[in-house]
Amino acid sequence: MSLNELYQNVILEHNRSPRNYRSMDDTDRKAEGHNPLCGDQLTVWVRVNDDVIQDASFQGSGCAISRASASLMTSAVKGRTRREAEELFRRFHRLVTGTLEPAEAETLGKLAVFSGVSEFPIRVKCASLSWHTLKAALDAPGHTVSTE
């Protein structure tokens, strides 16, 4: 199995069985995201305590890349400070836009499965929608963001 096939399998697995796919009633940090190009819509919930993300979840509908990205993102940001999550988003965005150095991609852990997205620029918005929505939930809870 090639690395690309492995990455595709991880994305497909997270699409079929997304992690942290649930609403969260006991938090006031929530934002909605929409990608008008392919119709992806999701809601991200975040619980923050002392500037540390204690929990993150999402619900919504969208393509496999969008759903898998949200699934892996919610797992990756738990236990991180807000600043660490924002830095992770910056590196992830550089990965999917093809501007991240290969050695730095290794620091992203499982998120590196999205490295192939840079070959399909229209899919960058699918992969980054959940991250933009997370940022909105942290910056301005209750806000709706769009990839447009």
Side-chain angles (χ1 to χ4, degrees):
M1 177 181 291
S2 74
L3 191 57
N4 283 340
E5 289 172 330
L6 176 65
Y7 284 176
Q8 283 181 338
N9 285 340
V10 171
I11 289 171
L12 292 174
E13 167 55 24
H14 276 267
N15 177 50
R16 279 191 300 267
S17 302
R19 293 7 170 227
N20 305 304
Y21 190 81
R22 58 184 159 74
S23 64
M24 198 183 312
D25 295 332
D26 56 343
T27 184
D28 61 347
R29 294 188 181 262
K30 165 185 159 186
E32 297 181 5
H34 178 64
N35 177 359
L37 276 181
C38 84
D40 300 330
Q41 293 185 343
L42 58 83
T43 303
V44 171
W45 290 267
V46 186
R47 183 179 313 118
V48 178
N49 188 13
D50 290 334
D51 202 43
V52 175
I53 297 172
Q54 302 295 317
D55 198 4
S57 65
F58 80 102
Q59 281 189 325
S61 61
C63 67
I65 292 173
S66 174
R67 241 168 109 101
S69 180
S71 174
L72 285 160
M73 176 200 75
T74 54
S75 295
V77 298
K78 286 183 186 179
R80 294 183 186 259
T81 66
R82 181 183 174 137
R83 186 172 155 212
E84 290 170 338
E86 289 172 353
E87 173 53 29
L88 189 60
F89 176 29
R90 282 191 284 276
R91 281 187 285 142
F92 178 79
H93 194 261
R94 291 194 338 254
L95 173 78
V96 296
T97 57
T99 59
L100 187 69
E101 294 295 325
E104 201 175 1
E106 294 173 12
T107 66
L108 289 171
K110 288 184 178 179
L111 294 171
V113 300
F114 294 97
S115 62
V117 169
S118 65
E119 297 173 29
F120 307 96
I122 197 163
R123 294 297 184 193
V124 170
K125 292 180 179 182
C126 301
S128 61
L129 175 64
S130 59
W131 291 88
H132 287 289
T133 310
L134 170 69
K135 184 167 179 8
L138 291 171
D139 292 346
H143 200 71
T144 298
V145 296
S146 172
T147 56
E148 288 303 304

